Amino acid sequence: MIQRQIVDTINILCDKFPVIALTGPRQSGKTTLLKNTFPDYQYVSLEDPGNCDFAHSDPKGFLKLYSEKVIFDEVQRVPHLFSYIQTIVDTRRQMGKFILSGSQNFQLSQNITQSLAGRVALFKLLPFDFTELKNVNLLTNDYPDILIKGAYPALYDRQIPSDVFYANYIQTYVERDAVELIHIRDLRQFRAFLGLCAVRVGQLLNISALANECGISQPTAKAWLSILESSYITFQLPPYFKNFSKRIVKSPKLYFYDTGLVCHLLGIKTDGDLVYNPLKSSLFENLIVAEFHKQNEHRYQHMDFYFWRDSNGNEVDLLRPHAMTFDIFEIKSSQTIMSDQFKGLKFLQEIAQEAVAAKTLIYGGNEIQYRSHYTVLGWNQVSNY
């Protein structure tokens, strides 16, 4: 079993909060992590119809069965259970009493905010990050391997072929969430929408254009995109708004948490399919931006990330702010380092001046170079930086 980075922090905070909540996409390994990390806890899945019905109809009686430490999986299926859990933790003041897990971020977060604010430590478990794969020698030196394969645990633990895994994942989980959360009836149109999102990976998000191309209204496109975000399929990278005396772009960029899913939607199955694909650079950018997000969640760092672009097309792919400064990153899929790859970093440095701390080029090769004004970082070294 591949060790997850987030485990150490969960163990530490389990002694400091009465409730631990773990969310993340379906099949990201939440249940496996909790069962292996907390073998002395009772495990109850609320996906089970009997458990779900019992918790709905008699929440007090249901909770009496679990007077000691317990894991409630897919707890968002019984929303009113949160209020009863609040009463119990406020009365007993026992740390680590409940561990809650769920795969629908919106519902879980909403219930936590309403009932358990200040009582819960919330974690997100995403598909494997580079560090986790590197620790067991599963991260190669060639980025197309992981970009196309993806990073869901089943791909490594059970050796399921990527195309088989993602075809079933979309039908079993993504479409199921769409039907359950907003009652989508035309799944063919929703699949088309998902494919159009894949084509727009790493690009500025234009809801109007996306809706028009899919043949749906803008409110529907927003609702469907919300489903993909709450199910941890896609996320948006916001622009950095500080002007620096230039007109800047204010639309977010669209990314997927897992590039294997994007490649499946785009029909990319081999390195050869990727080489001449016009989205190759965008997919590599998605791989790196998603990795920053994974490391941020798995190390419990609570950082924010942005991109920057002005109206003239000058751009920096990723900004990582600190208190008074920020680090900037340019992301290039090429395995050859060229001088013009630094121009975005140089441009923003010139207008932001001392606000820029570190300037880094992340490229498709494996070397690390420390130049006079820049750091050059191989793609598989991102987890160390």
Side-chain angles (χ1 to χ4, degrees), residues 33-299:
L33 182 153
L34 293 176
K35 284 184 173 181
N36 283 281
T37 306
F38 302 100
D40 55 329
Y41 278 60
Q42 294 175 279
Y43 174 82
V44 182
S45 173
L46 290 167
E47 289 268 42
D48 182 284
N51 291 333
C52 189
D53 181 70
F54 186 7
H56 267 295
S57 60
D58 185 9
K60 288 185 177 180
F62 177 77
L63 289 170
K64 279 183 180 179
L65 288 178
Y66 308 106
S67 57
E68 298 304 320
K69 297 179 176 180
V70 60
I71 298 167
F72 289 135
D73 202 357
E74 297 299 338
V75 69
Q76 78 279 350
R77 295 193 170 278
V78 191
H80 66 271
L81 205 59
F82 287 81
S83 296
Y84 291 92
I85 290 174
Q86 176 192 338
T87 301
I88 292 172
V89 299
D90 286 351
T91 301
R92 298 186 184 179
R93 303 185 66 82
Q94 178 185 352
M95 298 300 105
K97 163 68 177 167
F98 294 101
I99 297 179
L100 312 179
S101 178
S103 55
Q104 291 173 359
N105 182 41
F106 174 76
Q107 290 181 324
L108 186 61
S109 297
Q110 185 181 49
N111 286 310
I112 286 173
T113 300
Q114 290 175 351
S115 302
L116 297 175
R119 304 167 179 87
V120 60
L122 179 61
F123 296 85
K124 295 177 184 176
L125 184 70
L126 300 172
F128 290 140
D129 60 51
F130 290 175
T131 298
E132 293 164 345
L133 292 173
K134 191 181 294 185
N135 286 342
V136 290
N137 298 315
L138 288 175
L139 190 68
T140 70
N141 288 328
D142 299 316
Y143 73 81
D145 293 344
I146 186 172
L147 191 151
I148 296 171
K149 182 175 183 176
Y152 278 91
L155 298 166
Y156 298 86
D157 297 340
R158 287 180 272 152
Q159 302 298 313
I160 301 176
S162 293
D163 56 342
V164 174
F165 174 80
Y166 288 112
N168 283 279
Y169 190 85
I170 291 170
Q171 291 181 5
T172 308
Y173 296 113
V174 180
E175 292 178 357
R176 172 185 166 184
D177 283 348
V179 171
E180 285 187 356
L181 292 175
I182 54 175
H183 311 293
I184 292 176
R185 292 191 176 92
D186 190 346
L187 287 177
R188 286 191 305 172
Q189 196 169 39
F190 182 72
R191 290 189 199 110
F193 178 81
L194 187 58
L196 289 170
C197 288
V199 172
R200 287 164 169 76
V201 66
Q203 299 179 20
L204 296 178
L205 179 59
N206 185 326
I207 292 289
S208 176
L210 183 59
N212 289 339
E213 190 167 350
C214 192
I216 57 178
S217 67
Q218 285 192 45
T220 298
K222 288 180 180 179
W224 289 5
L225 196 60
S226 177
I227 292 300
L228 296 179
E229 291 176 357
S230 67
S231 299
Y232 294 100
I233 303 300
T234 65
F235 65 94
Q236 296 180 32
L237 185 69
Y240 192 73
F241 282 114
K242 191 168 183 178
N243 201 324
F244 303 125
S245 301
K246 297 283 181 179
R247 293 183 61 191
I248 58 173
V249 168
K250 295 187 178 180
S251 298
K253 294 173 75 171
L254 182 66
Y255 293 97
F256 281 65
Y257 280 107
D258 186 79
T259 55
L261 177 57
V262 190
C263 287
H264 174 78
L265 292 167
L266 296 174
I268 298 173
K269 298 181 179 180
T270 66
D271 292 8
D273 295 334
L274 181 65
V275 169
Y276 298 109
N277 193 293
L279 292 176
K280 178 183 177 181
S281 295
S282 296
L283 287 167
F284 179 74
E285 182 181 315
N286 192 145
L287 177 70
I288 300 303
V289 173
E291 179 61 20
F292 273 91
H293 278 74
K294 289 178 184 179
Q295 295 288 347
N296 185 46
E297 297 296 346
H298 294 170
R299 293 174 177 174

